[in-house]
Amino acid sequence: MSSGVSSPSEVEAIVRKVLAQVRTGDAPAKAGPPAKPHGVYKTVSDAVGAARIAQSTLVALPLEKRREIVASIRKHAAADVHTLARMAVDETGLGRVEDKIKKNLLVIHRTPGPEILEPQAFTGDDGLTLIERAPFGVIAAITPCTNPTETILCNGIGMISGGNTVVFNTHPTARNVSAYVVDLANRASMAVGGPDNLFTCVADPTIESANELLRFPGIRLNVVTGGPAVVKAAFAAGKKCVAGGPGNPPVVVDETADLEAAARGIVAGASFDNNIICCDEKEVFVVDKVYDRLMEAVVRAGSVQIRNHQVTRLEKLILTADREHTNTKWVGKDASKFLKEIDVPFQGDPRLVVCEVPFDHPFVQLELLMPVLSFVRVKDVHEGIDLAVKAEHGYGHTASMWSKNIDALHRMARAFNGSIFVKNASHYAGLGFGGEGWTSFTIASPTGDGLTTARTFTRERRCTLAGHFRIV
Ligand code: NAD
C-alpha cells in the first residue's frame, strides 16, 4: 500500500496515543451540528445541486489538490475523533466510545485515497493504450446508524479520491453526528483551498428521502450500507449500485486451535463496539473435544457465561414473542445492561455474555448486533464448517476459523464463499485492524464488490493511440 495508508502498528500507536489523551467520557459532546453546517440541506434536490457544483470544481483542480483535500480530511477527523465517537454513542445509544475511537481512526488512516487509482498502460507494435479510472459524478450514499461517522468518512474519502462528490441520506437516528462529520469534511477541504459541499446530506433524512435520492435523475451510482431493506431498495431503484448488506458471521474452532488465543480473539472481536459491526463474530461452532476448555478461556477473557433459566430470561428480553426477530431496543447496549436486566451477578464491566445453545436457536440464526455470543457444540470440524456455512445464510459476508490444521482451514476457506475469511484472528483483522490490507466500512457482498475503495466508486476509461508512443 502506498502513501496515505498507515500500517497496523501505526494505527495501533495512534489509537494508544488518542486513548491516552482522552479519558473516555471526559470530553463533553457537542450538542449537535454547528449552527450553519457546511453541506447540510433541507431537500434532496438542494443537496444534489450543491454536490454537482462542487464536483465540477473538484475535477477541474489539480490531482495534487485532491490529495491535499483527502489528507486534510484525515487530519481534521483525527483531531476531532473523540467528539465523533462520543456524539455517535450519545445520539444513537449504540456501542462504546473507546471502540468508536478505534473504528474512526482505522477508517481515517487506512481508507485508501487517490493512490489506489493506478493507471494502466499497454504498449506494443500497435501503439499505446492508457486505462484510467474516472468519476461517476455525484454519488448517492445511504449510511447506517451502527457506524455513522465511519461509513461517511470511508465512503466520502474513497468517492472524492475518485473525483466524485457525494450526497448522503444518513440514518435518521444518527442525523446530528452525520451532519457534524459532513460539515467537518467540507471545512477540511476549504482549509486547503478545496471546494465546499464535497460531502452533502439531507438535514432530516427519512426512508422517503432515501428513496428520492436513490432515484434522483442524473445520479449514476448508488452506494448503500445497511440491512436487507435498504439493499432491496437500492436494487429496486434500477441503477448501478454498490450494496453492503447484512451478515451473520460464524466462527469455527477445532481441536488443533490455540485455545487461549482463540478465546481472547473471539471475545475481543465479538464485543467490539458491542457487536454492532456487520463483520463482528456472531456465533461460534466448537469441536466437542475442546468445547469446555475453550469456554473456560472465553470466560477468563472477559465474558460472563449464562445457563438454563438465565438463557430463557435473555431470550424473553431480546427476542420478539414469535422468536423470529430481535428486540431492537437492545441492539448495541453494554453487556452489563443485559446481565442486570436478567438478574445475573457480575463484576466490573464485562465485554460479552456467552451461552451454549443448539444450532436452530434464534441466537445462532439471527443477526443480534448485541454483545451476546452463542456457542454450538459440534462433533468434529467438518460438522462445524457445514453448520457455519448454513448459519451464514448465504450473505457471503464474513467468517473465521481458529485451527492449525491446514486441510481444515483450506476446506473452510473454499466452503465459505464470502467477502472476508479470517484465519486465527478476530474478524476485525479482515478490516485491516491488526491484519494487512485497507479498510472499508461498506463491504459490498450482495453486489460482489467486496471491501469498497475509490476503485469501486470510479468507472474505467480507455484511450488508444494506434501505431505510436511505444518507447522501446
Ligand atoms: P438499516 O438497514 O436499518 O439502515 C441503514 C440505512 O438504510 C439507513 O440510512 C436507513 O434509513 C436506510 N433504510 C432502511 N430501510 C430502507 C428502505 N426501505 N429504503 C431506503 N432506505 C432504507 O441498518 P442499520 O441498523 O443502520 O445498520 C445495521 C445493519 O446494516 C446490519 O444488518 C448490518 O449487518 C448492516 N451493515 C452492513 C455493512 C456492510 O458493509 N456490509 C456495514 C454496516 C452495517
Side-chain angles (χ1 to χ4, degrees), residues 74-396:
R74 295 188 203 275
K75 195 173 120 192
H76 280 73
D80 216 9
V81 71
H82 188 270
T83 307
L84 299 182
R86 167 54 69 191
M87 275 183 82
V89 171
D90 285 351
E91 187 178 4
T92 64
L94 310 176
R96 288 174 176 259
V97 172
E98 67 273 24
D99 293 352
K100 286 198 189 291
I101 291 173
K102 293 178 189 171
K103 283 164 61 177
N104 277 286
L105 288 172
L106 175 68
V107 161
I108 289 164
H109 296 289
R110 297 202 78 179
T111 300
E115 74 283 349
I116 204 162
L117 300 174
E118 284 183 354
Q120 276 182 293
F122 293 86
T123 67
D125 293 339
D126 290 332
L128 167 72
T129 287
L130 183 63
I131 298 174
E132 291 185 353
R133 309 287 315 176
F136 279 96
V138 175
I139 297 177
I142 314 283
T143 53
C145 58
T146 47
N147 318 310
T149 56
E150 299 87 342
T151 312
I152 290 174
L153 286 168
C154 184
N155 281 182
I157 287 172
M159 288 166 184
I160 64 166
S161 293
N164 309 282
T165 56
V166 49
V167 181
F168 290 104
N169 198 88
T170 63
H171 198 291
T173 66
R175 65 172 164 280
N176 290 335
V177 70
S178 300
Y180 185 88
V181 78
V182 163
D183 173 75
L184 178 151
N186 289 318
R187 286 177 191 274
S189 167
M190 291 187 286
V192 291
D196 194 1
N197 295 313
L198 290 180
F199 295 18
T200 68
C201 70
V202 185
D204 288 310
T206 59
I207 301 286
E208 291 69 35
S209 62
N211 282 296
E212 184 187 349
L213 180 61
L214 290 173
R215 289 176 164 74
F216 205 89
I219 290 185
R220 293 175 62 187
L221 177 65
N222 291 329
V223 177
V224 305
T225 310
V230 73
V231 173
K232 201 168 155 201
F235 281 113
K239 295 188 197 177
K240 179 175 170 63
C241 71
V242 171
N248 195 33
V251 184
V252 174
V253 183
D254 79 5
E255 66 279 17
T256 68
D258 176 337
L259 297 180
E260 288 296 331
R264 281 196 307 272
I266 290 167
V267 173
S271 66
F272 194 42
D273 214 17
N274 288 342
N275 202 271
I276 55 176
I277 307 182
C278 53
C279 74
D280 281 345
E281 291 79 349
K282 301 281 189 283
E283 63 278 340
V284 188
F285 298 90
V286 190
V287 170
D288 188 36
K289 202 171 155 192
V290 293
Y291 186 98
D292 294 335
R293 273 195 290 143
L294 179 80
M295 208 41 138
E296 284 161 22
V298 161
V299 170
R300 278 198 300 279
S303 308
V304 174
Q305 186 179 9
I306 59 167
R307 296 183 175 86
N308 307 322
H309 65 281
Q310 296 170 331
V311 178
T312 314
R313 275 193 230 138
L314 187 63
E315 289 168 1
K316 288 212 175 92
L317 186 71
I318 66 173
L319 299 176
T320 52
D322 59 9
R323 294 166 65 90
E324 286 184 10
H325 301 280
T326 55
N327 178 354
T328 49
K329 194 178 127 192
W330 285 94
V331 167
K333 298 293 180 279
D334 290 352
S336 58
K337 292 204 169 133
F338 296 82
L339 293 167
K340 264 185 212 144
E341 201 69 23
I342 62 171
D343 215 10
V344 172
F346 63 93
Q347 287 182 339
D349 180 19
R351 295 281 304 185
L352 198 62
V353 179
V354 297
C355 58
E356 180 175 351
V357 291
F359 172 74
D360 55 4
H361 192 279
F363 289 179
V364 174
Q365 301 299 324
L366 299 176
E367 185 193 32
L368 299 181
L369 300 165
M370 300 169 195
V372 171
L373 189 63
S374 54
F375 284 71
V376 179
R377 215 180 269 264
V378 293
K379 69 175 187 303
D380 59 23
V381 70
H382 298 295
E383 188 184 39
I385 293 172
D386 293 344
L387 291 182
V389 170
K390 235 170 142 182
E392 214 269 334
H393 305 308
Y395 292 132

